[in-house]
Amino acid sequence: MFIDTHLHLVARDRITYPWLKDVPALNRDWAFQDYEATAKRIGIEGVLHMEVDCAPDDIPNENAFIGELMTKPQSMLRGAISSARPESKDCEVFLESLDLKVVKGIRRVLHVVPDDVSQSDLFRENVRKIGKMGLPFDICVLQRQLSLACDLVDACPDTVFVLDHCGVPDFTDDGFGDWAHSIATLSERLNVNAKISGISAYAKPDWTIETLRPYVEHVIGCFGWNRVVWGSDSPVCTLNSSLDQWMATTHTLIADASESEKAAFASKNAKRIWSL
């Protein structure tokens, strides 16, 4: 049974998502009950909601929305990974306002802002505060930004980090070497974990198991089975596959692992990292 560490829900009647207008395939409501119906069939026992880069003023609304869903009887939701703005002087006040019964981690999408945002003293100071609160910080960067991720981690040695989407490889024949080297370098930081999530969305539409295998195997080889977690990246995964196809792909890619390795990857690591 899996913990899905990366589910996005979209509720446009109460939350604003400026970026969705540029992605017509995703620009609709994505309801929890629809996800849940499939998740229960394919072996998902619990799920963390991942912030959807909503309008900054709506971040508290998004967290409240997830809190409400968590209170429903037999809800699979275990918590929210909230958006935040560590580059803001108001970030500390925002962090102090969080309901930690709901919020289990923090993320700031870094590939939609200038590269120097994560390099500022204020940003790093606030990420260190996030760590002191016991909240992991998800790193969402593109392949070309993996060196920036290393710099951020080095500045915040007591914060637990989770790299999203295998570092978003660009899936070009000449790009694998640079990506693989950057992943290996980042994995040397023992406070960093890696999320095997949604990479089919970044591959070409005609991807196969063998397209994804070298990326998944390299990440697991670098980080080890005790520092990797699984995420669906639903509904973004639907751009090139489906939730059940991604789960089937996952089972194929880890087929040769031991039962203890599979258990660590599927749920044990997630429960430890996010204190579920």
Side-chain angles (χ1 to χ4, degrees):
M1 300 294 286
F2 279 70
I3 299 288
D4 183 355
T5 66
H6 210 102
L7 166 68
H8 300 292
L9 299 175
V10 175
R12 296 173 302 168
D13 60 332
R14 59 187 292 176
I15 301 166
T16 303
Y17 312 90
W19 64 276
L20 276 180
K21 68 181 185 300
D22 299 320
V23 191
L26 299 178
N27 191 17
R28 65 174 180 85
D29 290 344
W30 296 86
F32 184 61
Q33 58 266 33
D34 296 332
Y35 164 85
E36 189 175 37
T38 299
K40 288 181 175 179
R41 293 172 182 154
I42 62 175
I44 295 173
E45 64 174 344
V47 58
L48 285 171
H49 180 263
M50 174 57 73
E51 61 91 14
V52 195
D53 202 21
C54 64
D57 289 346
D58 270 337
I59 294 172
N61 295 336
E62 184 174 57
N63 291 335
F65 171 54
I66 301 307
E68 293 166 16
L69 291 174
M70 288 173 66
T71 65
K72 293 185 178 296
Q74 299 180 320
S75 176
M76 296 173 65
L77 273 166
R78 300 290 185 263
I81 298 174
S82 172
S83 182
R85 296 294 183 267
E87 68 271 27
S88 168
K89 59 182 176 56
D90 299 323
C91 184
E92 184 173 9
V93 174
F94 168 77
L95 293 174
E96 291 173 350
S97 74
L98 294 175
D99 180 356
L100 298 185
K101 295 188 297 294
V102 174
V103 174
K104 304 300 181 182
I106 299 292
R107 183 174 81 155
R108 172 62 162 127
V109 178
L110 294 174
H111 60 75
V112 298
V113 295
D115 287 354
D116 60 1
V117 168
S118 67
Q119 308 300 291
S120 74
D121 291 340
L122 178 59
F123 191 100
R124 294 174 175 187
E125 179 184 351
N126 282 321
V127 172
R128 288 192 288 268
K129 290 174 182 175
I130 289 167
K132 290 178 181 178
M133 295 174 66
L135 298 175
F137 186 85
D138 270 60
I139 301 175
C140 191
V141 294
L142 302 177
Q143 174 174 326
R144 66 170 183 82
Q145 298 173 306
L146 285 169
S147 63
L148 301 179
C150 289
D151 292 342
L152 176 60
V153 172
D154 288 343
C156 307
D158 296 323
T159 299
V160 173
F161 292 91
V162 182
L163 177 70
D164 289 349
H165 311 321
C166 297
V168 191
D170 61 20
F171 286 99
T172 58
D173 291 338
D174 59 353
F176 182 85
D178 287 342
W179 169 85
H181 175 74
S182 296
I183 289 294
T185 301
L186 184 59
S187 72
E188 294 170 359
R189 283 83 174 156
L190 298 183
N191 56 327
V192 184
N193 306 274
K195 189 179 295 185
I196 309 296
S197 55
I199 57 172
S200 60
Y202 304 104
K204 294 179 180 179
D206 62 351
W207 65 270
T208 68
I209 290 281
E210 298 312 314
T211 306
L212 306 185
R213 185 183 299 279
Y215 295 91
V216 172
E217 291 185 347
H218 182 70
V219 169
I220 295 173
C222 288
F223 283 88
W225 287 102
N226 290 325
R227 288 197 289 146
V228 288
V229 296
W230 183 83
S232 69
D233 198 21
S234 181
V236 180
C237 67
T238 66
L239 293 174
N240 278 338
S241 62
S242 64
L243 176 57
D244 49 357
Q245 286 175 345
W246 174 233
M247 178 61 87
T249 298
T250 300
H251 280 295
T252 301
L253 290 171
I254 66 172
D256 293 336
S258 70
E259 291 305 308
S260 62
E261 290 168 340
K262 291 176 182 177
F265 170 61
S267 62
K268 185 177 179 180
N269 297 338
K271 291 175 181 177
R272 183 192 72 250
I273 293 166
W274 285 282
S275 300
L276 303 182

